[in-house]
Amino acid sequence: MRALIRPRFLVAAAVAGVAAGLIGIAMALLLGLFESLFYGVTHGGLLERLATAPPWRRTLAPALGGLVAGGLWWWLRATGGVADVEAAVADRSGQAAPRMGLARPFLDAVTQVLTVGAGNSVGREGAPRLAAGAVAAKLATRLGISRNEGAILIASAAGAGLAAMYNAPLGGAAYAVELVMVSGMRRRGVLVAVPVCLIATLVSWLHSHGRPTFEVTSPGLSSGTVLGLVLLVPVAAVLGVGARRVWSWMLAHRVRVPRWLPAAIGTAGLVTGLVSLWVPAIVGNGRDAMEMALGTGLPGASNSAAGAGLVLLVGIVALKPVLTGLTLAAGATGGRLAPSLAAGSSAGAALAIALHACGVEASVAVLALAGAGAVLATTQRAPVFGIVFTWELARAGAWTLVALFAVVVAVTLLTTPTYYSHLPQKIQNASTN
């Protein structure tokens, strides 16, 4: 514990937080730049760019982005690969702080953002956490920080990169502690992760101005919404477990020969582009799909409009996990956080529309947020992160937080036996790899 309050460690933590904040800003700006380049539209969000771009461009943009990204990953992997954050944190060899380098992680991070900006279905959160973790590793090495403290700093910086990109400091800290840190460092690590993520988030306000990622009005309690939350539990459990298994299978069978990456990722991008002609919100990391789900209106909507919205949402639920898995299987590097949020929020919104058609008034926003958090918690096997991060995305009020908490806990209890039943096989696989 004393090592965490030494001046050089405190300096490293502060600098890592500032760097993570600046990286979050840079990645957000870079994402907008790539979207404008690939879709030829310089204003609005990704869905607005798609609505303006011609069909041929919408089809070919993800394919072209996949070709370019595949070429860059071909070179990176054929020349030694890139050390990731998890490997650096888990590495127990030696006494010195883990080394990651800077140039290769930053190039990999830019390639990830390029892939998402072109419209490919994969998360963007891996880019800022990788770049921020690499900066923290360099700081730890330069300042002579020990291996254990260096690992804590790297994990905290990775969470801070996520926090800066989504304006979610507690969610970033929960990610660092629950998903990146390994056994034995979490109790001390939380004391580092929280302030580092807070610093990164404050720096990111230079770009986000402190606004939450989604603007949501928190409704009051209603019997229809409670019924919807109860019905959402098994839906989110099946969707979360299903998405995780699809992604695990796809990753186990992914393209591993570097020279095939451009063609494979380009083909996955072409499939995504073709699907986007019918389901536009399927493109990108999933942020726009979640925004659409949260913004789906019910009162006063015509039956035809509600029906069209329901079909679109169900399309996202069914296709987003598959296209994300296809992109990962093609060899792309990217996250699964935003795709999880997109699928879960769409499922919750679709359930609210279905209940409305049956004469039950249920809040779209509450069910969408609860579905997003439950699916995220299930795919990542991280309930605390799922609750905290999802709520921070909208900060929709105490009642919504209670609803989110209840659904995530229920889904976690429902899916935990499924997880633990696979532990013997996981242990056996780990011992043979």
Side-chain angles (χ1 to χ4, degrees):
M1 189 67 71
R2 289 182 180 178
L4 299 182
I5 59 175
R6 290 175 181 169
R8 60 183 176 182
F9 185 86
L10 296 177
V11 169
V15 174
V18 172
L22 294 175
I23 288 169
I25 294 173
M27 295 300 173
L29 295 174
L30 196 59
L31 179 64
L33 174 62
F34 284 135
E35 288 177 356
S36 65
L37 288 175
F38 281 104
Y39 291 96
V41 183
T42 59
H43 60 277
L46 183 56
L47 291 182
E48 295 174 277
R49 298 179 200 269
L50 258 70
T52 306
W56 67 266
R57 195 156 194 158
R58 292 168 56 180
T59 303
L60 295 179
L64 178 59
L67 283 171
V68 176
L72 292 171
W73 276 318
W74 177 5
W75 179 81
L76 279 170
R77 295 175 193 178
T79 57
V82 178
D84 61 23
V85 168
E86 287 79 6
V89 171
D91 182 15
R92 295 291 186 179
S93 61
Q95 298 297 318
R99 296 175 180 270
M100 294 178 65
L102 284 179
R104 298 175 75 88
F106 268 82
L107 178 57
D108 192 285
V110 170
T111 306
Q112 292 183 47
V113 176
L114 182 151
T115 307
V116 177
N120 289 280
S121 181
V122 71
R124 63 174 178 166
E125 72 277 353
R129 71 185 182 91
L130 175 61
V135 171
K138 178 65 71 173
L139 284 169
T141 301
R142 287 290 181 89
L143 296 178
I145 294 173
S146 68
R147 208 229 70 84
N148 288 334
E149 282 66 44
I152 290 175
L153 184 65
I154 293 171
S156 299
L162 178 67
M165 179 161 274
Y166 286 99
N167 192 20
L170 297 181
Y175 178 86
V177 174
E178 196 171 15
L179 285 166
V180 184
M181 295 183 188
V182 297
S183 179
M185 67 173 61
R186 293 190 177 99
R187 185 174 298 179
R188 294 182 303 155
V190 70
L191 301 176
V192 180
V194 171
V196 171
C197 290
L198 285 171
I199 292 171
T201 303
L202 290 173
V203 172
S204 74
W205 285 2
L206 295 171
H207 177 255
S208 69
H209 306 291
R211 293 188 297 267
T213 302
F214 303 108
E215 300 288 344
V216 176
T217 301
S218 180
L221 174 65
S222 72
S223 57
T225 300
V226 172
L227 174 62
L229 292 171
V230 173
L231 296 175
L232 180 61
V233 170
V235 173
V238 171
L239 180 57
V241 171
R244 184 175 181 90
R245 288 183 175 178
V246 166
W247 295 338
S248 297
W249 189 89
M250 292 287 194
L251 285 169
H253 296 83
R254 71 188 311 188
V255 173
R256 301 191 184 278
V257 181
R259 67 174 179 272
W260 291 110
L261 292 176
I265 302 174
T267 301
L270 180 61
V271 173
T272 301
L274 289 170
V275 172
S276 74
L277 297 177
W278 290 273
V279 187
I282 207 72
V283 299
N285 66 333
R287 180 192 182 282
D288 296 274
M290 183 173 178
E291 187 171 28
M292 187 194 71
L294 290 169
T296 303
L298 286 178
S302 65
N303 290 334
S304 60
L310 180 60
V311 171
L312 186 60
L313 290 167
V314 171
I316 295 171
V317 172
L319 294 172
K320 190 64 178 175
V322 174
L323 289 176
T324 301
L326 180 63
T327 307
L328 294 171
T333 299
R336 274 104 50 204
L337 302 188
S340 299
L341 294 169
S345 61
S346 297
L351 179 58
I353 293 177
L355 288 173
H356 182 75
C358 298
V360 178
E361 297 291 340
S363 168
V364 172
V366 172
L367 264 64
L369 278 175
V375 172
L376 177 64
T378 305
T379 60
Q380 302 302 305
R381 292 180 179 145
V384 175
F385 168 67
I387 294 169
V388 175
F389 181 70
T390 305
W391 183 80
E392 276 192 311
L393 291 176
R395 304 189 187 123
W399 151 237
T400 304
L401 177 59
V402 171
L404 174 62
F405 177 85
V407 172
V408 171
V409 169
V411 170
T412 300
L413 292 175
L414 191 61
T415 58
T416 295
T418 302
Y419 170 53
Y420 283 111
S421 66
H422 290 79
L423 273 182
Q425 184 63 42
K426 291 175 183 291
I427 294 172
Q428 181 180 350
N429 292 341
S431 64
T432 57
N433 289 337

